[in-house]
């Protein structure tokens, strides 16, 4: 094992760290469809979006052409606090699997948010502060995004109000306390604090909530409170832009050792990690400079890519947000409460949706009991307790490595290990006790949810 | 901030990582006092110790002369999985404190055990496996050691039975699940499973347990089960030997940049982290090659160094273990249940005790409410949620940095950030809710505990 030239972990030096984010849209021939105003069905203008998002983020959201955006010095300094994230050569996993495949993962869990979410949280909080805002609102599902935003806001001295999907709030009581450490306020969603929350509670008493619903509440508070804006941890173009740091660092690290991945794998909820990880590699593919297989891995209980439709939908359950064109299960879709952790979003990043529609990206839906089995196997050999979300990618990567064992192919696999599972022990316990199920939606359930959507296309 | 030549984090390359552990005892003029057989009051022989510990570890325990021990290749490979640990320049904390001090910390939390404990766990499990043993038993307080040992045993395929101090078992329910992920069995201590556990339960019904009591139970099971040995996560000479990896890596990293610390600070429970961190620096001091201030930081609720006596005592409550000469509060001392997390041990490493007695080491006792306030301040600027144990060192380092602000001195401070606080959110919640107290033992309580000790000296 030790004769290998490639170390167990590749860390970039500060000088090697990216100074710009990469905007994948610049290299897409078919640009992602624009956000639409749900009233007029016309593309949202910058002026309209600036009621919800701060100005610089609107500029980033709408810019389909500029390939690179400078990362402000203050954000680069913050990145140095917890980055570069290690690119790990999974020697121990390879040995365990007895595979000729070479497995790498980019580990984003070495910060208190326990995930990659901090990469965009600090950017969004920074631009809010630059604009002189007082605070931001947001939603959180598994709690990683809320923690990340709390950290960023606590660091910059911004107020932070988080609506947390109720089932996560209850499954992960300690997440609330971590956010409190960083000075944020946390409300279980749906709540009585907003009009949309009260409406959803009246319609679905006892609901365990959804990301879409929490988004509606956070947006309502942001647009109705002076000095506040809304920030979102995934789905949006701006978020994928910031998360490109994941892929850029990975590519620099691999290039240092002359390694070219054959397959790149990421879990997909709203698409922020996957979009960030694949960005520079997909850019090469779009420009015809290199070829890679890209695999999005989603939960079978919330299978937007593999069982959704590509059409305009609301990003939120309350239907107060702009319409986005994406693979969607319908904005009223709420995955089974038994589904652990994140990746619960009914839709998908418009950028990734367009790439998937154009055949640049594959997708797989996997069952959560298989995901937890892979997570445990990984933890025992790689020394990291993975988040359930990240473990979707682990499972897919292990499956590809096992195929290599059968065929004898020495493929190089790169996957995104988005975060740690320290706050997911309730789910691990359920898994150990044999109480975890795989509540997969029926075709009729998905069709019913899609039937409620507006006809736009 | 960015003009500094020293990066935010210094990582060693694999080639730079230590290949040997350093045995501080080799450079001590006054060697640590030997373990005594409680029956004969004679120094424990290797043969006697080998009933409890595996043979190679006994050899390491008794060797006061060999300065370096080779780290076996298999352990070095395992170390590569989660090491090198970063040496972090705390630029953000320095800026927050507006101090001219330069603060560094060695962060050992980037593995699932959440602490430095894995450094010795893998070594002890490795030697047990080499000896052909079936499994090991141990105790755990805060749960870090138990998790670390579970990880090591899970990796090597050894059976692992953990007795967990009851109050930690209840405060940290998720710890049990992490150990299960790695295949260990976990029993709250005192338990009905052992003679000593039943005796303690009969004498002190409703006790919240102590490390000393859990040690007794684990030792009893080890010596009465064929193919099993006992392993301990702190206090012992062998553990400090393994933990020297912390100090060795730190020193190599600092030497690369020509940095010499003025003050080196570590939290002290049984002494494993502190002893490991200071080892190579203390070696220089003992050899007259350099001078450093060393500060041990202990909880005011369990103040072995600052309020204990230097004398022979049992390492365990059940008085089944050998006698060790150390600063002790008496083996029947049980710190307040309100005291969060680890550092609950009544005694202290014999090595550190001798160094303290000889004036090479200072000690401070700090109150846990101050510790949590420091922890929160640190988390907000450094992006790491620290373990309560580690936060004792944070508080002391911040206090020294504040003194530098007053005097204008540009001192260089190095402290050990032993781990993360993801499993300590119950304690953080108590702190936020103003429910945390500082139950400091009275002189009479300590005197009563010490009065029960055997007269040996």
């Amino acid at each position: 094992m030790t004769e290998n030239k490639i170390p167990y972990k590749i860390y970039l030096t500060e000088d090697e760290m990216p100074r710009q984010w990469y905007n994948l849209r610049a290299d897409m021939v078919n640009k992602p469809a624009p956000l639409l105003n749900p009233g007029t069905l016309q593309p949202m203008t910058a002026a309209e979006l600036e009621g919800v998002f701060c100005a610089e983020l609107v500029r980033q959201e709408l810019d389909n052409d500029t390939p690179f955006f400078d990362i402000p010095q203050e954000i680069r300094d913050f990145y140095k606090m917890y980055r570069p994230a290690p690119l790990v050569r999974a020697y121990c996993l390879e040995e365990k699997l007895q595979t000729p495949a070479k497995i790498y993962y980019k580990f984003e869990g070495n910060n208190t948010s326990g995930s990659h979410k901090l990469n965009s949280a600090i950017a969004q909080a920074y631009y809010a502060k630059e604009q002189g805002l007082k605070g931001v609102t947001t939603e959180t599902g598994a709690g990683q995004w809320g923690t990340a935003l709390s950290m960023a806001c606590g660091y910059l001295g911004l107020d932070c109000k988080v609506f947390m999907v109720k089932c996560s709030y209850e499954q992960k009581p300690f997440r609330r306390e971590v956010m409190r450490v960083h000075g944020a306020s946390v409300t279980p969603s749906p709540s009585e604090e907003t009009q949309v929350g009260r409406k959803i509670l009246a319609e679905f008493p006892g609901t365990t909530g959804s990301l879409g619903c929490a988004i509606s509440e956070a947006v309502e508070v942001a647009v109705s409170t002076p000095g506040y804006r809304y920030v979102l941890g995934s789905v949006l173009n701006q978020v994928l832009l910031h998360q490109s740091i994941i892929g850029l660092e990975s590519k620099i690290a691999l290039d240092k050792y002359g390694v070219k991945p054959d397959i790149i794998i990421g879990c997909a909820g709203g698409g922020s990690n996957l979009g960030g990880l694949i960005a520079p590699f997909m850019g090469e593919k779009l420009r015809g400079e290199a070829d890679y297989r890209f695999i999005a891995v989603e939960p079978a209980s919330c299978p937007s890519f593999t069982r959704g439709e590509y059409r305009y939908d609301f990003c939120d359950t309350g239907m107060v947000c702009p319409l986005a064109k994406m693979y969607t299960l319908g904005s009223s879709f709420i995955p089974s409460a038994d589904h652990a952790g994140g990746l619960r979003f009914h839709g998908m990043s418009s950028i990734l949706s367009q790439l998937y529609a154009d055949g640049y990206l594959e997708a797989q839906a996997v069952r959560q009991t298989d995901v937890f089995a892979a997570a445990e196997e990984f933890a025992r050999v790689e020394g990291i307790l993975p988040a359930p979300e990240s473990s979707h990618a682990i499972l897919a990567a292990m499956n590809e490595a096992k195929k290599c064992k059968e065929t004898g192919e020495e493929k190089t696999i790169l996957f995104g290990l988005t975060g740690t599972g320290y706050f997911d022990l309730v789910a691990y316990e359920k898994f150990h006790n044999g109480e975890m199920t795989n509540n997969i939606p029926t075709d009729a359930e998905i069709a019913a949810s899609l039937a409620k959507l507006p006809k736009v296309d």
Side-chain angles (χ1 to χ4, degrees), chain A residues 187-261:
Chain A
T187 306
S189 167
S191 79
E192 297 284 351
E193 289 184 24
T194 64
Q195 286 185 11
V196 66
R198 290 188 290 272
K199 184 166 166 248
I200 290 169
L201 282 172
E203 198 173 346
F204 306 101
T207 175
T208 55
S210 70
L211 261 191
C213 165
I215 293 173
S216 301
E217 293 203 81
V219 170
E220 181 183 319
V221 170
V223 298
S224 61
T225 312
Y228 280 72
R229 289 296 185 284
Y230 167 70
V231 296
L232 180 62
S234 190
V235 182
L236 297 175
N237 299 340
Q238 59 189 264
V239 178
L240 269 69
L241 175 69
H242 307 146
Q243 294 295 357
S244 67
I245 190 87
I246 303 173
L248 291 165
E249 279 189 7
S250 300
K251 190 154 192 319
I252 294 167
L254 289 171
D255 285 348
K256 274 174 78 167
Y257 290 88
V259 175
K260 185 186 164 295

Side-chain angles (χ1 to χ4, degrees), chain A residues 141-165:
Chain A
Q144 295 168 334
W145 169 247
T147 309
L149 191 68
S150 302
M151 289 175 71
C153 289
Y155 186 85
L156 295 171
L158 274 179
D159 196 25
C160 179
K161 181 159 182 64
V162 180
F163 287 90
M164 185 169 187
V165 178

Side-chain angles (χ1 to χ4, degrees), chain A residues 286-302:
Chain A
L286 291 168
R287 296 189 303 270
E289 298 166 6
D291 197 19
Y292 306 94
R293 268 186 75 198
F294 299 101
I295 305 175
V297 193
E298 58 186 16
S301 56
C302 193

Side-chain angles (χ1 to χ4, degrees), chain A residues 292-372:
Chain A
Y292 306 94
R293 268 186 75 198
F294 299 101
I295 305 175
V297 193
E298 58 186 16
S301 56
C302 193
S304 322
F305 268 137
T306 52
R307 297 178 63 198
E309 286 185 11
Y310 188 35
R311 55 190 286 188
Y312 268 101
D313 189 5
F314 293 96
C315 290
D316 63 326
T317 312
M319 304 187 180
V320 302
C321 284
L323 292 162
K325 189 171 179 187
M326 56 187 177
Y327 283 85
T328 179
L329 299 163
S331 47
S332 65
F333 180 83
I334 294 183
S336 161
D338 186 58
H339 172 66
L343 311 181
R344 299 173 60 84
F345 187 58
H346 63 273
M348 185 56 64
S349 146
S350 288
I351 293 174
L352 295 181
S353 292
Q354 187 62 50
L355 292 168
Y356 184 64
D358 291 343
Y360 288 104
L361 181 67
E362 303 168 32
Q364 298 176 358
V366 293
R367 304 184 326 153
Q368 70 170 350
T369 49
D370 299 332
V371 166
F372 275 82

Side-chain angles (χ1 to χ4, degrees), chain A residues 135-148:
Chain A
V136 291
T137 69
T138 199
E139 79 298 326
T140 197
Q144 295 168 334
W145 169 247
T147 309

Side-chain angles (χ1 to χ4, degrees), chain A residues 8-231:
Chain A
Y8 280 53
K9 294 180 190 173
I10 307 174
Y11 285 104
L12 304 185
T13 66
E14 287 182 6
D15 289 343
E16 291 170 329
M17 283 173 70
R19 291 162 178 257
Q20 296 181 308
W21 293 303
Y22 167 59
N23 181 12
L24 181 55
R25 288 165 284 169
D27 284 308
M28 291 169 71
V29 175
N30 297 327
K31 305 292 183 187
L35 296 169
L36 298 187
N37 180 315
T40 64
L41 299 186
Q42 293 302 305
M44 291 286 286
T45 63
E48 288 172 328
L49 285 170
E50 285 176 12
V52 181
F53 302 111
C54 64
E56 173 59 24
L57 292 168
V58 169
R59 190 175 79 80
Q60 295 179 1
E61 187 66 28
L62 297 177
D63 188 332
N64 285 341
D65 303 304
T66 306
F68 292 97
F69 284 77
D70 288 341
I71 307 174
Q73 184 64 54
E74 292 82 348
I75 298 176
R76 288 176 51 211
D77 282 343
F78 188 88
Y79 278 170
K80 286 180 199 163
M81 193 177 76
Y82 71 100
R83 305 193 72 79
L87 183 77
V88 184
R89 172 71 184 270
Y91 284 120
C92 301
L93 181 62
E94 290 171 19
E95 190 168 289
K96 174 79 193 305
L97 298 176
Q98 290 287 301
T99 175
K102 293 166 178 35
I103 309 174
Y104 294 83
Y105 56 90
K106 181 71 168 171
F107 179 44
E108 292 283 330
N110 280 346
N111 70 77
T112 298
S113 80
S115 83
H116 67 293
K117 296 288 185 181
L118 196 51
N119 302 332
S120 184
I122 186 60
Q124 296 192 49
Y126 169 79
Y127 292 120
K129 181 153 189 196
E130 282 293 289
Q131 195 173 319
L133 297 175
K134 205 174 134 189
V136 291
T137 69
T138 199
E139 79 298 326
T140 197
Q144 295 168 334
W145 169 247
T147 309
L149 191 68
S150 302
M151 289 175 71
C153 289
Y155 186 85
L156 295 171
L158 274 179
D159 196 25
C160 179
K161 181 159 182 64
V162 180
F163 287 90
M164 185 169 187
V165 178
K166 192 180 277 176
C167 68
S168 290
Y169 185 90
E170 286 163 2
Q171 278 182 354
K172 304 182 178 187
F174 293 166
R175 278 282 184 197
R176 184 194 60 233
E177 242 13 81
V178 183
M179 294 190 239
R180 273 179 92 185
V181 166
H182 294 278
S185 79
V186 190
T187 306
S189 167
S191 79
E192 297 284 351
E193 289 184 24
T194 64
Q195 286 185 11
V196 66
R198 290 188 290 272
K199 184 166 166 248
I200 290 169
L201 282 172
E203 198 173 346
F204 306 101
T207 175
T208 55
S210 70
L211 261 191
C213 165
I215 293 173
S216 301
E217 293 203 81
V219 170
E220 181 183 319
V221 170
V223 298
S224 61
T225 312
Y228 280 72
R229 289 296 185 284
Y230 167 70
V231 296

